[in-house]
Amino acid sequence: MLKIFRYLKNSKAMVFAIILLLVVQAGCDLSLPEYTSNIVDVGIQQGGIERVTPEKIRKETYDSLKLFMTDAEIARVEPYYTENQEGICERNTESDEILDGMDDAFGMPMLILSALEESGQADMSQLKQALDAGMITREEMIAKRNEAEASFGDMSDSIIQQKANLFVKKEYEAMGIDLDALQMNYLKTKGLQMVGLAVVMMAASILVSLFAAKVAAGVGRDLRSGVFNKVVSFSNAEMDKFSTASLITRSTNDIQQVQMVEVMLLRMVFYAPIIGIGGVFKVLHTKTGMSWIIVVAVASIMALVLLLMSMAMPKFKKMQDLVDRLNLVSREILTGIPVIRAFSREKHEEERFDVANTNLMKTQLFTNRVMTVMMPAMMLIMNGITVLIVWNGAHGINQGNLQVGDMMAFMTYTMQIVMAFLMLTMISIMLPRAGVAAERIEEILTTEPTIHDAENVRDDELSEVKGCVEFKDVCFRYPGANEDALEHISFTARPGETTAIIGSTGCGKSTLIHLIPRFYDVTAGAITIDGIDIRELSKNKVRSILGFVPQKGVLFSGTIESNIKFGGDWITDEAMKSAAEVAQAVEFIETKKDTYRSPIAQGGTNVSGGQKQRLSIARAIAKNPKVFLFDDSFSALDYKTDVVLRRALKEKVSDAAVIIVAQRISTILHADQIIVLDEGRVAGIGTHEQLLESCEAYQEIAKSQLSESELKGGRAS
């Protein structure tokens, strides 16, 4: 799964920007519960009075409070009040650290003074006069405070703050301050701040989504490009290793899975630890005494996730294999429909498809059912945690240890922590499957082609290509095979001559011709072009010399023109038309409305087999190569077209080497040399007449295809 993270290395700047935006978003998200708590506790319960330390206080009230303060407490508050001409002491600091200390200093004296005033037991002016006159000492005053404090019992800081706030309210009211306006001003200020945070959070979330989508799209683009470039570089050996259906699945479905998870990764997985850690930090500062509930919640969620993932993980890998299998069966059925219909095997193929489809469905249903359990179970845990918080919080509120707003904030922070794990859980549904997909993609990207260019190629030595191809004791064995498919093949195909290869089915004709463009490399021996081993030339150089026509004509979607000019943009219209004329394709091209601009469907399905073959031959001729390779390319042509095409070809490419793989002797009667293969070995080399006299294998082929008169006529066409 780490591969999914490594795919982000090309977008480091964007990922860094996303993380910064997520921090901003999380900061706003984590601040909102605190604002909610303040609105409830301060704005509603305390009438908008945030602190015990009053912003303004009358001089006589201030002096009365100092009567019950210790010397240290007086020193803590004295420097931060300034008396004006009206006898009002005004606070001159807004430092939270200083104000926290002043709150502690004011709290208990306010409770004592409030209790004494309510009971009418003391006159503060007389008490102050007695203290000034020395009738009572500071120690005695502190002793009276301790007695009063003891009478209050085990009172929590929360209750002390609430009662002190009532004292501050009365003081403000006595000074003529509008308490309703004070409360509304506080609520409006906090409300606007919350709206501002929500707007910032929304903007950050939108930008994160935008950047995440852009990064993920880039990852998908790079992976598709990398997979495609790698597959294009594969030799036939690698193509045989990976089925076409599997390559298509890996290039589309698997990359789509990774791309989708990258978006979720950037939006949720990176955000979850930020909001989770931030939530834990906030919870630890709420002083609710319920932190153990977080441990219970996290442990429950982790146990649930581990249980479900252990059940679902093995199925995700199996699911991708089943998708491959379904694609393979679908592709086989769709491409083989004519054969299926001809043999009335529709029912059998439907059953085969149904098996593949049902197996995939069962696996998907299992994983979906497992994952479906996750959400209700998560919601059960979340609701259970909520009930637990309310139950414990209610007791705390009843005992005076907790305020309602603090409980609400704790509940919100707990839900944020749980939601962080829920986000990780949601991504864990997709991450295993994406991890499997990433492994399958990496399997392609890390597969090294068995055929590659030499470190020091000799392309410069082949500036003027003649096109002489020589096989020097060539042996070839397919990967994993126990026996050689070709053994000790030696011959030379010279420019201006036609070399034909013939033999029974499976004797290695196509294998031999596929060695020249390096679709496979020889196991032993060497193939040279103008005396240079093709393994010492770059693949591009070797293939630029060749004009290859496969056994099965392959056309690409586009037009007739784009297919004939497939060899390069440098091919002119004149060269295209000349190639079409040699390939005997002009006749059917001219009958089309748009001639050379006529559309060709994917795979050339809108032209016949013979037309497809002729266009494939024209494509090779238009390239004007020095070596022509025809892999049984005339099999789809009728005898007349075959004869005319070969005659025109001989005139057109008189300076090029022509190598033809053929099944029909009639196609190669006029070849300058014919190589007869028998079970991967050379059974004979010579002209048609020579082989009729000396090669038993050739004689058997000739007898099966030619009449007595043709056999006696020798080279006569």
Side-chain angles (χ1 to χ4, degrees):
M1 293 183 189
L2 293 177
K3 300 180 184 70
I4 297 174
F5 289 89
R6 287 206 301 269
Y7 293 148
L8 299 173
K9 65 181 180 182
N10 294 330
S11 305
K12 292 178 182 176
M14 194 77 78
V15 172
F16 182 71
I18 289 172
I19 293 174
L20 288 180
L21 287 168
L22 288 174
V23 170
V24 172
Q25 182 182 347
C28 295
D29 203 359
L30 290 168
S31 298
L32 290 174
E34 187 175 347
Y35 278 86
T36 304
S37 174
N38 288 335
I39 285 175
V40 173
D41 291 343
V42 179
I44 297 175
Q45 291 185 340
Q46 296 174 198
I49 299 172
E50 295 185 69
R51 289 187 171 275
V52 171
T53 304
E55 294 183 9
K56 296 179 180 180
I57 188 171
R58 290 175 297 174
K59 181 68 167 64
E60 59 269 24
T61 305
Y62 182 44
D63 291 340
S64 297
L65 289 171
K66 286 195 292 184
L67 292 175
F68 299 99
M69 290 184 183
T70 64
D71 292 337
E73 289 174 339
I74 293 172
R76 197 181 298 170
V77 302
E78 191 73 23
Y80 303 107
Y81 275 102
T82 305
E83 184 181 354
N84 61 22
Q85 295 178 349
E86 299 175 357
I88 302 297
C89 297
E90 296 180 343
R91 196 177 70 201
N92 57 25
T93 181
E94 295 298 330
S95 169
D96 288 335
E97 184 178 353
I98 294 173
L99 290 174
D100 287 341
M102 294 174 71
D103 285 346
D104 293 337
F106 273 120
M108 187 54 66
M110 284 182 175
L111 256 69
I112 296 171
L113 186 58
S114 178
L116 291 173
E117 287 179 348
E118 287 176 2
S119 62
Q121 294 179 0
D123 184 344
M124 293 300 110
S125 59
Q126 292 179 358
L127 195 60
K128 186 175 185 305
Q129 289 174 3
L131 184 64
D132 292 339
M135 298 172 62
I136 186 171
T137 63
R138 289 286 303 165
E139 288 75 12
E140 291 175 331
M141 290 297 297
I142 297 302
K144 286 180 177 289
R145 166 184 164 159
N146 292 335
E147 290 176 7
E149 192 171 339
S151 67
F152 291 142
D154 188 15
M155 189 177 293
S156 68
D157 292 340
S158 176
I159 293 178
I160 292 173
Q161 184 178 10
Q162 290 179 35
K163 291 185 175 295
N165 267 283
L166 292 174
F167 181 89
V168 175
K169 274 186 183 180
K170 290 180 180 179
E171 182 65 17
Y172 282 173
E173 190 174 2
M175 288 189 292
I177 295 174
D178 189 345
L179 294 179
D180 291 337
L182 179 68
Q183 184 178 34
M184 288 305 298
N185 182 56
Y186 180 86
L187 292 173
K188 286 179 181 178
T189 301
K190 292 298 179 181
L192 289 173
Q193 289 174 348
M194 289 183 74
V195 171
L197 285 172
V199 170
V200 172
M201 186 169 67
M202 179 185 69
S205 179
I206 291 172
L207 289 173
V208 166
S209 299
L210 178 65
F211 291 166
K214 189 172 182 180
V215 170
V219 168
R221 177 202 60 209
D222 294 342
L223 285 177
R224 280 189 292 271
S225 177
V227 169
F228 179 79
N229 291 337
K230 178 65 76 169
V231 170
V232 169
S233 71
F234 281 168
S235 67
N236 285 19
E238 286 78 47
M239 294 300 292
D240 294 339
K241 176 183 176 182
F242 299 101
S243 70
T244 303
S246 179
L247 288 174
I248 292 172
T249 305
R250 294 171 196 236
S251 302
T252 53
N253 181 272
D254 288 353
I255 292 177
Q256 185 65 29
Q257 286 287 334
V258 171
Q259 184 174 331
M260 190 168 23
V261 164
E262 293 288 6
V263 175
M264 306 298 287
L265 190 71
L266 294 170
R267 290 182 59 190
M268 296 174 64
V269 174
F270 285 3
Y271 187 62
I274 297 173
I275 196 76
I277 294 170
V280 170
F281 180 80
K282 289 285 188 179
V283 161
L284 295 176
H285 284 72
T286 55
K287 300 178 182 178
T288 59
M290 294 189 291
S291 301
W292 60 272
I293 295 178
I294 304 294
V295 178
V296 173
V298 172
S300 302
I301 293 167
M302 291 299 295
L304 175 67
V305 172
L306 290 174
L307 174 64
L308 295 181
M309 284 299 100
S310 64
M311 296 171 64
M313 192 71 168
K315 296 293 183 180
F316 282 122
K317 183 171 180 58
K318 184 179 179 181
M319 190 186 300
Q320 295 303 103
D321 294 335
L322 291 173
V323 170
D324 276 355
R325 175 63 185 169
L326 184 64
N327 284 341
L328 175 65
V329 172
S330 300
R331 190 168 181 272
E332 284 182 345
I333 293 173
L334 292 174
T335 55
I337 280 178
V339 178
I340 294 169
R341 288 173 178 168
F343 283 84
S344 297
R345 296 289 287 173
E346 290 93 344
K347 188 66 177 176
H348 174 267
E349 294 303 318
E350 286 174 7
E351 291 173 356
R352 194 160 71 100
F353 178 84
D354 188 57
V355 169
N357 195 23
T358 302
N359 288 338
L360 177 59
M361 179 198 70
K362 288 180 179 178
T363 306
Q364 288 177 330
L365 281 176
F366 179 84
T367 55
N368 288 340
R369 284 167 182 161
V370 170
M371 294 298 104
T372 300
V373 172
M374 185 173 291
M375 185 56 68
M378 292 290 290
M379 295 307 298
L380 179 63
I381 292 173
M382 290 177 66
N383 291 328
I385 293 300
T386 302
V387 171
L388 194 59
I389 292 171
V390 172
W391 176 266
N392 283 271
H395 284 81
I397 293 169
N398 184 52
Q399 295 169 4
N401 299 323
L402 184 66
Q403 293 193 56
V404 175
D406 286 338
M407 186 190 76
M408 292 174 62
F410 180 85
M411 188 183 300
T412 306
Y413 288 134
T414 304
M415 290 304 105
Q416 286 177 330
I417 295 169
V418 173
M419 285 300 295
F421 280 91
L422 181 59
M423 283 189 278
L424 291 175
T425 302
M426 293 299 293
I427 197 69
S428 69
I429 298 173
M430 304 169 67
L431 199 58
R433 187 174 180 183
V436 173
E439 289 177 7
R440 284 157 53 86
I441 294 167
E442 284 296 311
E443 191 178 358
I444 294 176
L445 295 176
T446 56
T447 297
E448 287 300 323
T450 53
I451 297 176
H452 47 78
D453 293 339
E455 291 185 8
N456 299 308
V457 296
R458 299 170 60 187
D459 291 359
D460 295 339
E461 299 179 28
L462 208 60
S463 56
E464 294 184 8
V465 182
K466 296 177 182 178
C468 181
V469 178
E470 184 177 359
F471 276 62
K472 296 181 177 179
D473 197 30
V474 168
C475 296
F476 172 73
R477 178 178 299 183
Y478 282 104
N482 297 321
E483 298 179 356
D484 287 341
L486 296 173
E487 297 181 28
H488 306 292
I489 307 295
S490 298
F491 69 89
T492 302
R494 297 177 178 82
E497 295 183 357
T498 299
T499 299
I501 303 169
I502 195 169
S504 59
T505 302
C507 67
K509 302 185 297 297
S510 294
T511 301
L512 184 148
I513 208 167
H514 285 172
L515 295 176
I516 301 173
R518 295 191 71 191
F519 295 158
Y520 297 99
D521 265 347
V522 299
T523 306
I527 301 173
T528 65
I529 295 179
D530 293 348
I532 300 176
D533 193 324
I534 59 174
R535 290 171 294 186
E536 297 177 1
L537 299 170
S538 67
K539 289 182 290 184
N540 287 339
K541 182 65 175 179
V542 172
R543 291 165 187 173
S544 69
I545 298 169
L546 308 176
F548 178 70
V549 184
Q551 186 173 2
K552 181 181 179 182
V554 177
L555 298 181
F556 300 93
S557 56
T559 62
I560 291 175
E561 179 182 4
S562 66
N563 273 276
I564 296 178
K565 290 184 176 181
F566 191 74
D569 296 335
W570 49 268
I571 298 174
T572 63
D573 290 344
E574 290 74 17
M576 172 188 69
K577 292 176 182 178
S578 175
E581 187 175 351
V582 173
Q584 306 303 302
V586 173
E587 180 181 351
F588 79 85
I589 293 174
E590 295 293 345
T591 61
K592 294 183 176 291
K593 179 181 177 181
D594 298 320
T595 61
Y596 289 92
R597 296 188 182 277
S598 299
I600 295 293
Q602 183 180 2
T605 55
N606 59 338
V607 292
S608 68
Q611 292 171 346
K612 189 188 299 186
Q613 200 71 280
R614 279 177 278 175
L615 289 176
S616 298
I617 294 170
R619 179 172 59 201
I621 296 170
K623 187 181 175 184
N624 195 27
K626 291 296 182 182
V627 179
F628 282 92
L629 305 176
F630 295 99
D631 185 7
D632 199 15
S633 307
F634 304 102
S635 57
L637 306 180
D638 60 84
Y639 182 75
K640 178 183 176 183
T641 305
D642 185 359
V643 172
V644 175
L645 192 155
R646 283 187 288 106
R647 185 180 297 120
L649 182 65
K650 189 171 183 66
E651 295 173 0
K652 172 72 176 177
V653 296
S654 58
D655 61 339
V658 178
I659 302 176
I660 300 175
V661 169
Q663 297 280 1
R664 300 187 312 208
I665 286 183
S666 59
T667 303
I668 60 171
L669 283 173
H670 299 280
D672 295 288
Q673 68 172 340
I674 300 171
I675 300 166
V676 183
L677 290 183
D678 184 21
E679 295 184 355
R681 299 179 181 85
V682 175
I685 298 179
T687 62
H688 173 65
E689 294 87 351
Q690 292 170 343
L691 292 172
L692 280 176
E693 295 176 0
S694 61
C695 181
E696 183 178 345
Y698 188 78
Q699 290 169 4
E700 291 178 2
I701 296 172
K703 288 176 182 178
S704 66
Q705 296 185 14
L706 302 178
S707 64
E708 287 294 329
S709 59
E710 288 174 321
L711 288 171
K712 292 177 180 178
R715 254 176 108 76
S717 61

